Amino acid sequence: MTAVAPAALTSEQIGTLARAVSRAPSVHNTQPWQLLVRGTEVDLLERRSVVLRRQDPFGRDRMMSCGAALTNLELALRVLGRDCHVAFRDDEDAVATVTIGRPRAVSDRDFALYHAIARRRSHRHEFSHSRVAAAVHTALVVAGETTGVHLVVPAHLDKFAQLLGFATRVLREDRGYQRELAMWTAHTTGPSATGDGVPEDALSPEALPVAGLVRTDTPVPDDAVLADRLAAENLLVVCTDGDTRAEHLAAGTALQRIWLTATAKALAASVITQPLHLTGFRARLVSELVLPGVPQAIFRFGYPEVPAAPSPRLPLGELFPDGHRGGAR
Ligand SMILES: Cc1cc2nc3c(=O)[nH]c(=O)nc-3n(C[C@H](O)[C@H](O)[C@H](O)COP(=O)(O)O)c2cc1C
């Protein structure tokens, strides 16, 4: 019996993939990805032209953002009832190729994570005092632990607070850093509205200091107060064994799986990478918190008290290089 080749995607299905990818989180909401659809293969491209010299000089966060987009792409394909295989690539601009396979049943878990894609957003506020049950906490860790990615609950919060407080003070005074952040702070309404950047509202002063992006007017509580605030949150440090591009991509896919699992369980969350880019910060974090690998991101989560506003996205057409939509309209 001859095997039937898997069918190529329809334009409606490509539209579903594009919407899922577009809603992924990304550093400064730069959306540094594109899709190239080639029959039953989809390449995830990294837009290397997106450069954040101060926040992300080595492109780690850009690659992690692509990893988050890859999780959404895979989930969308599975919810379309297709099997898929993901291969890491690092040639030209492609970071991964997803090969679409035969029809398969959609699992309840994939369905729940896919539906969390549109509801997930960065929640930089304090969380409510409701406790996150141990089983829920474990579910998040299980969702994110993949080969080479480790999730660590930080101990030694006094030292963690000292380091974060120090980073906040440095970043507040760093003019180059602040100029770059201002360029990526978006106005979501009016004539200057763009489809990228972090909305001004999302960085309101009510956001917890160090839970968001540090600006010149971000208040810095003293270290003891900060340690108490950290103790009231649920934190996971996302670590990788090494520091390669493949590991940055893996950290991003894991991060998004945790974030979607949290969202599906009515939790809210935000990600912190800003201080990790300061010279020497990672090494200090590894030694002070006794981490088992290279810290790539800090994930904070809890039950929300207030809703977080959505952030803008670029038009879907910009997801396809030179308008190449593989037949999608
Ligand atoms: C790799 C990566 C690094 C990020 N770093 C930070 C950060 O340091 N501070 C912060 O407040 N948000 C950070 N974010 C969140 C983005 O700013 C956010 O995803 C983006 O503005 C889109 O908003 P949304 O998550 O609500 O969709 C990061 C996201 C990613 C994927």
Side-chain angles (χ1 to χ4, degrees), residues 58-204:
F58 304 107
R60 280 194 182 95
D61 281 10
R62 194 177 54 210
M63 200 63 174
M64 270 201 283
S65 306
C66 287
L70 185 57
T71 290
N72 286 12
L73 175 61
E74 210 184 325
L75 282 170
L77 276 166
R78 292 193 192 286
V79 167
L80 286 172
R82 302 297 291 269
D83 204 358
C84 56
H85 170 77
V86 179
F88 172 70
R89 282 177 56 190
D90 199 10
D91 49 302
E92 304 201 347
D93 292 334
V95 295
T97 294
V98 183
T99 305
I100 304 163
R102 294 177 195 296
R104 61 168 245 173
V106 183
S107 71
D108 289 348
R109 185 180 158 70
D110 284 346
F111 199 69
L113 294 189
Y114 173 78
H115 281 285
I117 288 175
R119 299 200 314 273
R120 183 218 55 83
R121 45 195 63 161
S122 292
H123 182 97
R124 299 180 176 89
H125 299 274
E126 277 185 73
F127 300 114
S128 83
H129 296 295
S130 311
R131 213 176 62 81
V132 176
V136 174
H137 198 285
T138 305
L140 265 59
V141 172
V142 169
E145 287 228 308
T146 50
T147 318
V149 178
H150 313 283
L151 302 170
V152 182
V153 178
H156 313 297
L157 290 182
D158 50 337
K159 290 176 179 160
F160 198 17
Q162 273 170 19
L163 283 172
L164 288 174
F166 167 76
T168 305
R169 286 186 284 275
V170 171
L171 289 163
R172 264 196 340 181
E173 304 304 321
D174 183 335
R175 287 207 191 157
Y177 183 89
Q178 291 300 332
R179 251 196 313 275
E180 184 178 86
L181 180 55
M183 278 173 55
W184 283 97
T185 304
H187 299 279
T188 44
T189 53
S192 56
T194 58
D196 53 8
V198 184
E200 183 70 40
D201 299 354
L203 299 177
S204 69

Side-chain angles (χ1 to χ4, degrees), residues 2 21 39 59 77 198 276:
T2 37
V21 164
L77 276 166
V198 184
L276 299 178

